[in-house]
Amino acid sequence: MISAWLTEERLGRTLLAAGQLPWRALAVGMILAVAVGAGMSPAPAAAQATSAESPPVHPTGEAALAPPGDETLGDSRVSGAQEADAVSDPAALVEPEILAEEVADQAEEDARFAWLQPVSGWFTPARFPTAVATLLFGITLLVLITRARGGRDLYIRRIAGLEAVDEAVGRATEMGRPILYSPGLDPMEEVATVASINILGQVARKAAAYETRLIMPNRDPIVMTVSQEVVREAFTEAGRPDLYDPNDIYYTTQSQFGYAAAVCGTMMRERPAANFFIGHFYAESLILAETGNATGAIQIAGTDSDSQLPFFICACDYTLIGEELYAGSVYLSREPLLLGALKGQDVAKVGILAILILWTILSFLGIDIRSWLG
Amino acid sequence: MKKTGPVVFGFLIGVLMLLHHFTPSSWIGDRYNNVLDWKQVVFGITLILGVISLFTYHWKKIERRAEGWGYSVITVAGLIFMIAVALIFTPERGPYPWMFDHVQAPMQATMFALLAFYVASASYRAFRARNFHAALLLTAGVIVMLGRVSLGELIGIDSVSTWILDFPNTAAKRGVMIGVGLGMTATAIKIITGIERTYLGKGA
């Protein structure tokens, strides 16, 4: 019964699974298989045919396809697959003398060459500095958040663009006109878009409190769906779920300039009194900001795109520069825990500044610190 | 559960993405690719919601005869027409690629071309020397612009232009980028650890 189950192919796979044995160990395994196979029935023809036609199988049972950029693992997998094919070859199993000869040849080859065996790693050494920096930064954040939780007062500098949010919403309310909010062009997985959605929640809460309409054209349908939920939640929390209209947060197009045309058209027709351009923008930034400027709306922009910042600074009343975009929701909500995280960013900046100054001084002294780091 | 579920799910996916950056493990790589595949599925479903949203928004405008409802008629007609020709003739041949090449592409190019005029009007406002900072910006702008053309080389201003771009400009950009990098990392850590829940509502 055991010999019926223990076909050559199964035995070969079992040996492979026992730890990706090197070639010589595999050859010994094959000899053993031959020895056992003398007293067992041959593998079913159908199973052998399947083995020959099916793609190479990784010892762990996965298809032998390396993920992109994973060359080391890919080599290892191909090697294992080739070995598996060799085991499943019945012709090689019926002639033990030939195998013994091959083993002897291989031993001779081994004596002549130093073989390199690729090994799959669990850590990318080239990213060690990034891992250390991320870990240190994460610990700093958690320490400062714990301090903030303890009730310690943390000073946060005034950010004019965020102070102006109340002014912008108030102005729209007084004029009886809507507010326009654009989250940028990036999809939901970009951190700038997440930061924009966090600010949207705060703006929507104020708009609901002032009973002001909020219009939001979207380029990405996932961003649209998330935004609808965030605004609905904000209006509900403000006690005015009746004012929420899902049609005000709508999808336009995936096209970059198509989106710009749609937003500009909305600005010209609806004449919003306040425009928010918060997120990651590309070449359309100036088209949006200049059109908004032409309608006379108060404009607050915020982006982490350094190439678009000058355009927003020129055409908007207030601009959140780089990191201020990420501080937006914290600044507006004043949640103590989040304020701790904001403080952590400042501490990290001081650390980076100190490193930059130190390296500059060392550079002036002719000391190349890169050689120390290897 | 309504609030805890998304936070736990966000934590697991966030940790998976973080690990994928630091490890070449095929198991994590496969899970990472699974998440990307699921993102495509979610995108496909939300795209249907998006098209429904677009249609509903413009249809309501047409019904109400709101200001500019004529544009909504063109949008709805264009949407239906393009879907119909793509289904009948396939997107590779027939009117679909023709409409793309001869209608959509020129319209996009037109919008892009408008940028030149907007740059001129924005520059005019920015360069009005109302205070010291505006005067400094005007001076730097004039030097850089002259340095980029033949005249700048002729009057020997091109090296000053290059210096402004290579040193003060690059230093300012790097300052912004360091802040952006820290802000992105902090936001990501806050979301992964569930500290930042603003996107789930204030009560989360």
Side-chain angles (χ1 to χ4, degrees), chain A residues 70 73 77 122 124 127 189 194 198 221-222 233 237 247 250-251 255 257 269 290 306 314 326 329, chain B residues 21-24 26 39 46 53-54 57 60 67 108 112 118 121 125-126 173 184 191 196 199 202:
Chain A
D70 193 0
L73 189 63
R77 284 178 162 199
W122 279 97
T124 310
R127 289 179 180 162
E189 63 262 29
V194 175
N198 286 338
I222 298 179
E233 185 79 19
E237 278 175 13
N247 283 321
Y250 56 95
Y251 175 72
S255 160
F257 291 105
R269 286 190 296 275
E290 274 296 284
D306 59 335
C314 282
Y326 299 103
S329 72
Chain B
H21 186 73
F22 294 113
T23 174
S26 63
K39 194 219 154 197
T46 54
S53 156
L54 179 73
Y57 176 78
K60 286 197 172 181
E67 188 188 352
Q108 287 179 342
F112 192 30
Y118 286 132
S121 64
R125 275 205 310 282
K173 280 175 77 172
M184 286 173 83
I191 289 172
E196 171 76 87
Y199 64 97
K202 199 178 182 181

Side-chain angles (χ1 to χ4, degrees), chain A residues 109-127:
Chain A
E109 288 278 299
D110 286 352
R112 288 171 57 199
F113 299 106
W115 294 94
L116 294 176
Q117 188 75 19
V119 177
S120 169
W122 279 97
F123 186 75
T124 310
R127 289 179 180 162

